[in-house]
Amino acid sequence: MYLKQRDGELVIVPADLKQTFQNKFTLNIGKNEIIKMKDNNVITDRDLKIAKFLFRFKFATAEQIHNYLGEESSKVNIKNRLDKLVNYRVLNKFMLSEFEEERIAADAFEIYCLDLGGRYLLSHYSNEDTTDWYSTVNMKTSEIISKNLVVSEFYIRIMQTCGSKIVYFKPEPELRVGKKNVIPSFEMCMQSNGITKYFIGEIVREYDFPIFIREKAVKLESLLNTNAWKKYYYDSESEPVLFMFADTDLTALETGKLITETTEIRNFRLSTDERIGRELYETGAFLKYVEEKDSLQEIKAGTFKP
């Protein structure tokens, strides 16, 4: 059993699936050959842009990369180019299945990531710090991959909606509160009407309940409900808004209830995989948990208006 591509539909990534890569990771990739290909424009500036995106976000689908580039090129053309970069060993790709297979099936749901050639490309033609990048960063559980894909999707949607307001967007920032590491799924800074606003995001799946999400909520509380957040967001008058992105409305409801009943965090909003596909500033893209009714209320997030 493997995860299949479904055109026009959201692909929900289940837990406990294994990766089957197109290419086995190896150190036998010529650094000089990659540099030569870039100098001769066999590898283009657009290819470099794709490599940067995958370096920062780890995983993305061909459709996400197509949307990120925002070009007139068809999705088929983008996919053909991505597969060419896989052949060059700038990128790699994989499918997810019950067991690791010999090869990727023709109709599989494919996910792209960086390969060693991409690291060589970035180390010579960008200011990205690739020192700590190793091919093992691509070897993740399907649970983690699922969350990374949602972060990629939200970033693309934000840039499409109100990109001019975004100061920075960083996946998996490493924050510390005392001796504790607090690593949310992403952090984001926006400037709107001269005001700097910060946001922290966390991706939640149904299988995170109850232990993982409870422990995550306690860590987030230690950052957001003390002065610890000022260490990172010193130019803000209030703590970052917490976004929780769930796989379904039911998971979002359970998340809202857990955060409200087990922490003092109140400045948070909820959304889902389906809802972030809507216009982000319209009613219903985001949700508020109403404690008195133990229900979700659709709200309008005017901050994201272009």
Side-chain angles (χ1 to χ4, degrees), residues 55-157:
F55 173 72
R56 293 172 181 170
F57 290 86
K58 291 192 180 71
F59 306 114
T61 64
E63 181 167 359
Q64 285 179 326
I65 293 170
H66 175 266
N67 292 337
Y68 166 67
L69 293 172
E71 299 175 346
E72 294 298 323
S73 300
S74 69
K75 293 177 185 177
V76 172
N77 286 343
I78 292 294
K79 186 180 186 314
N80 289 341
R81 186 59 190 174
L82 293 174
D83 289 340
K84 181 74 75 174
L85 294 174
V86 171
N87 290 337
Y88 293 158
R89 303 304 301 266
V90 170
L91 308 181
N92 206 342
K93 68 177 180 177
F94 60 89
M95 73 172 187
L96 293 167
S97 52
E98 189 174 1
F99 305 101
E100 185 177 355
E101 304 289 350
E102 289 296 318
R103 62 184 63 85
I104 297 177
D107 60 344
F109 176 62
E110 295 179 337
I111 301 166
Y112 291 85
C113 58
L114 200 67
D115 205 338
L116 186 58
R119 177 187 175 182
Y120 293 153
L121 184 66
L122 293 173
S123 65
H124 282 78
Y125 298 98
S126 80
N127 60 359
E128 299 289 353
D129 182 2
T130 62
T131 309
D132 295 329
W133 187 94
Y134 301 95
S135 57
T136 49
V137 305
N138 296 317
M139 299 170 190
K140 302 293 184 183
T141 64
S142 60
E143 293 92 330
I144 292 174
I145 293 164
S146 170
K147 294 178 181 183
N148 283 134
L149 288 175
V150 176
V151 173
S152 297
E153 184 67 21
F154 182 63
Y155 171 72
I156 292 164
R157 294 290 299 122

Side-chain angles (χ1 to χ4, degrees), residues 202-255:
E202 192 62 57
I203 313 302
V204 184
R205 310 286 89 173
E206 182 185 6
Y207 45 69
D208 287 329
F209 284 88
I211 300 299
F212 178 85
I213 183 59
R214 188 180 69 201
E215 292 177 350
K216 199 75 174 182
V218 169
K219 283 190 173 184
L220 290 169
E221 181 184 35
S222 71
L223 174 70
L224 299 174
N225 282 73
T226 67
N227 286 328
W229 61 268
K230 293 183 179 179
K231 177 180 177 181
Y232 300 99
Y233 313 110
Y234 68 93
D235 55 344
S236 177
E237 294 182 359
S238 59
E239 76 277 13
V241 176
L242 174 63
F243 285 151
M244 303 294 287
F245 295 94
D247 43 5
T248 65
D249 278 9
L250 182 59
T251 305
L253 178 62
E254 287 300 309
T255 301

Side-chain angles (χ1 to χ4, degrees), residues 2-38:
Y2 57 89
L3 203 56
K4 294 186 178 182
Q5 182 66 49
R6 295 193 292 271
D7 291 338
E9 293 183 34
L10 288 170
V11 177
I12 303 298
V13 178
D16 300 321
L17 297 184
K18 311 301 180 188
Q19 294 169 293
T20 297
F21 286 92
Q22 176 77 12
N23 297 319
K24 299 295 182 186
F25 286 106
T26 175
L27 296 176
N28 190 27
I29 297 174
K31 182 187 298 187
N32 292 335
E33 184 63 24
I34 294 293
I35 294 170
K36 183 179 177 181
M37 291 170 75
K38 179 65 176 73

